[in-house]
Amino acid sequence: MHCPFCRHPDSRVVDSRTSDDGATIRRRRQCPHCSRRFSTSETASLSVLKRSGVSEPFSRAKVISGVRKACQGRPVSDDQLAMLAQRVEESIRSSGLAEIAGDQVGLSILQPLQELDLVAYLRFASVYRGFESLEDFEAAIARLRAEMPQDGDPAAESSV
């Protein structure tokens, strides 16, 4: 890290702290040449590799935008969508990869969306899993019904 004051090519880390819920590391540095102090901020980048071969930074806003279409007309709030996008990002980051394929982002949305709203999940899954017939929908609905809790919870059953 070059000193921003004297351009010396080295610096010493004096203090490190996390910020933004651990997504960023703030480092306090000191130049050994001029002894002045300065701060740096480090974040781990996460890129999405599109089908076209172009790589772009991961965006929670794009996740929310894609899921919002599936949730149209459903009782899902903006806060719930923001939490879903955060869960998706955390899931992707936990894989340890710096770059992930775009279709993997879509697939990583499925589980949190299933927990949020089953109708929205079916809408989204029909695109990402490539449903081509009514049988595909019927099979997905049958799988969801089989996974549903059997405690007689009417709220859980009304979503399918």
Side-chain angles (χ1 to χ4, degrees):
M1 171 60 61
H2 285 86
C3 172
F5 305 107
C6 71
R7 303 300 301 157
H8 186 73
D10 196 19
S11 64
R12 182 175 66 91
V13 175
V14 177
D15 183 40
S16 292
R17 296 180 185 192
T18 61
S19 60
D20 296 333
D21 293 329
T24 304
I25 298 175
R26 181 180 174 270
R27 297 198 193 279
R28 192 76 179 133
R29 296 175 176 269
Q30 183 171 11
C31 175
H33 186 256
C34 70
S35 298
R36 293 184 73 182
R37 290 185 174 201
F38 58 98
S39 295
T40 59
S41 181
E42 302 173 17
T43 59
S45 65
L46 179 59
S47 298
V48 177
L49 183 62
K50 309 290 268 181
R51 287 186 195 126
S52 65
V54 175
S55 184
E56 65 181 41
F58 175 85
S59 167
R60 284 187 190 180
K62 280 192 163 191
V63 170
I64 292 170
S65 158
V67 173
R68 181 172 277 132
K69 293 172 190 166
C71 293
Q72 204 165 22
R74 301 298 304 157
V76 177
S77 71
D78 287 342
D79 288 342
Q80 289 173 309
L81 291 177
M83 289 299 297
L84 181 137
Q86 180 179 342
R87 283 184 60 194
V88 169
E89 183 176 4
E90 288 170 356
S91 167
I92 292 169
R93 285 191 186 277
S94 71
S95 73
L97 300 172
E99 187 170 69
I100 187 166
D103 63 331
Q104 286 300 113
V105 174
L107 292 173
S108 68
I109 291 171
L110 291 173
Q111 184 60 40
L113 186 57
Q114 180 179 343
E115 294 168 11
L116 182 63
D117 186 274
L118 293 174
V119 172
Y121 164 79
L122 282 171
R123 290 174 180 170
F124 196 85
S126 70
V127 173
Y128 272 89
R129 292 218 168 121
F131 290 8
E132 294 180 7
S133 66
L134 289 175
E135 288 77 21
D136 292 337
F137 279 97
E138 289 171 345
I141 291 170
R143 184 183 57 76
L144 287 173
R145 284 194 172 130
E147 291 176 1
M148 282 179 43
Q150 300 299 319
D151 62 358
D153 181 10
E157 294 174 7
S158 67
S159 296
V160 178

